[in-house]
Amino acid sequence: MEAERLIATGRHALAESRVALDIVAEAWQAQALAQAMGSRLALSGPMELRGEARGLSEIGGARGAAGVPRAAQLTAIGDARVALTALGALLGEVGIALVGVACATDEEGLYWQCIEAIDAADEAGDRVRAMLRRLAVRERERERDRPPDPARGRAGPGSG
């Protein structure tokens, strides 16, 4: 399944989670997806992303995910920028949901699970943002190196 569809599925599942343990499980599902996307981008993504992608693939672990992680269905990452932007949004939503669970629980074990998952989501989000910055730099460099468009270079009526 394509990365954007898996991310959308994860966002929907997180939004539908009503109990703390479901939210924590969805957080680890998101982390497993981030790792899988990192692995795929480290192997076959744009060269400038491979170092950060390798780091993303090594963050945390899917300890809380029940059963087989949804990430096992990942078959492709279409547009890296679009997929990473969506992943960043999912990781942000995961962090917010986990803070809510951590603040509401009196159970020490669940609290520390949330803190660990928050740390993993935050670190993964940092890697995603770094990769998006690298893609933006690459795009600016391509624009700068592109020959000028003759139509844009002409002065039109009323200029000058």
Side-chain angles (χ1 to χ4, degrees):
M1 188 179 294
E2 211 273 330
E4 289 178 65
R5 283 188 56 204
L6 284 171
I7 293 166
T9 299
R11 290 179 82 177
H12 179 74
L14 180 64
E16 294 295 313
S17 296
R18 298 289 175 240
V19 296
L21 292 178
D22 289 345
I23 293 170
V24 172
E26 284 306 321
W28 290 115
Q29 287 281 353
Q31 184 61 36
L33 181 56
Q35 288 175 312
M37 288 178 62
S39 293
R40 186 169 290 269
L41 288 169
L43 291 174
S44 59
M47 289 302 291
E48 59 271 8
L49 299 186
R50 291 186 181 183
E52 288 292 340
R54 195 171 2 275
L56 180 61
S57 72
E58 297 168 354
I59 294 172
R63 292 177 284 285
V68 177
R70 196 176 293 122
Q73 299 173 34
L74 180 65
T75 57
I77 298 175
D79 182 328
R81 185 186 55 75
V82 172
L84 287 169
T85 300
L87 179 61
L90 172 60
L91 293 167
E93 291 168 9
V94 160
I96 291 167
L98 289 167
V99 167
V101 172
C103 290
T105 190
D106 292 330
E107 189 180 319
E108 188 175 348
L110 179 58
Y111 172 81
W112 287 112
Q113 273 188 348
C114 288
I115 297 304
E116 184 180 2
I118 290 167
D119 286 346
D122 188 48
E123 188 176 348
D126 288 347
R127 296 280 182 168
V128 167
R129 285 186 292 279
M131 287 189 280
L132 287 168
R133 282 191 300 274
R134 288 178 189 265
L135 287 175
V137 166
R138 178 181 78 166
E139 194 58 35
R140 283 193 299 270
E141 288 173 352
R142 283 185 178 166
E143 282 293 319
R144 187 186 63 224
D145 294 342
R146 192 172 290 152
D149 182 358
R152 280 194 274 158
R154 290 189 208 131
S159 64

